[in-house]
Amino acid sequence: PPSGRSALRMQAWVDDPQSAPSVVEQPLIWITSSPVPVRQGQIVRVHAWVHVPRPIGGSSDGLLVFDSTGGPDLGDRVRLTQGWRDLTLYRAVPQNGELTVTFALTGIGEAWGDDLAVSLLDPEPVRAP
């Protein structure tokens, strides 16, 4: 891992590689963070380190990392990395509530995540000149 001595490892496999599905319909592993309270108007920075050592089979999405504000459509799809890669998402919070971050392994293979951090920024209000 990039820091510390441990990281999240997600791995899915088939007993018989000859019978592996060509397409995996839904993510096989879905891990969601604890909720973080957010307020309308805040800017959220989601940062993590990810590692996908080999392409994920049965999926073009690989490791899908997304937040509850942007959803899977605005998430980052990590198909292959050369070692650990940093991943950053920025979001404007549309309404008060909670934000979670999800790591989804969308096929057969292995993916790692580490050092997930959610930072909140309260921008200065725009003032008329």
Side-chain angles (χ1 to χ4, degrees):
S3 69
R5 295 185 304 168
S6 62
L8 171 67
R9 180 182 184 199
M10 296 172 282
Q11 187 175 24
W13 63 92
V14 293
D15 289 333
D16 177 13
Q18 300 301 322
S19 65
S22 59
V23 176
V24 175
E25 296 293 328
Q26 295 190 356
L28 299 174
I29 300 174
W30 188 282
I31 298 174
T32 302
S33 72
S34 298
V36 175
V38 293
R39 291 189 323 275
Q40 181 178 8
Q42 285 181 314
I43 304 297
V44 176
R45 177 183 182 260
V46 174
H47 182 267
W49 288 91
V50 294
H51 178 49
V52 179
R54 288 171 294 290
I56 304 297
S59 169
S60 61
D61 287 337
L63 173 64
L64 173 60
V65 182
F66 65 94
D67 63 277
S68 55
T69 299
D73 290 342
L74 295 180
D76 195 351
R77 287 147 175 83
V78 183
R79 293 169 181 89
L80 179 66
T81 63
Q82 300 296 320
W84 288 91
R85 174 185 88 110
D86 87 24
L87 176 144
T88 304
L89 304 172
Y90 290 96
R91 298 287 180 258
V93 178
Q95 62 190 24
N96 294 346
E98 295 180 330
L99 178 124
T100 59
V101 179
T102 299
F103 288 77
L105 182 62
T106 64
I108 307 297
E110 175 183 22
W112 295 73
D114 195 24
D115 283 345
L116 173 63
V118 176
S119 304
L120 304 173
L121 173 67
D122 289 307
E124 290 291 322
V126 176
R127 297 191 173 114

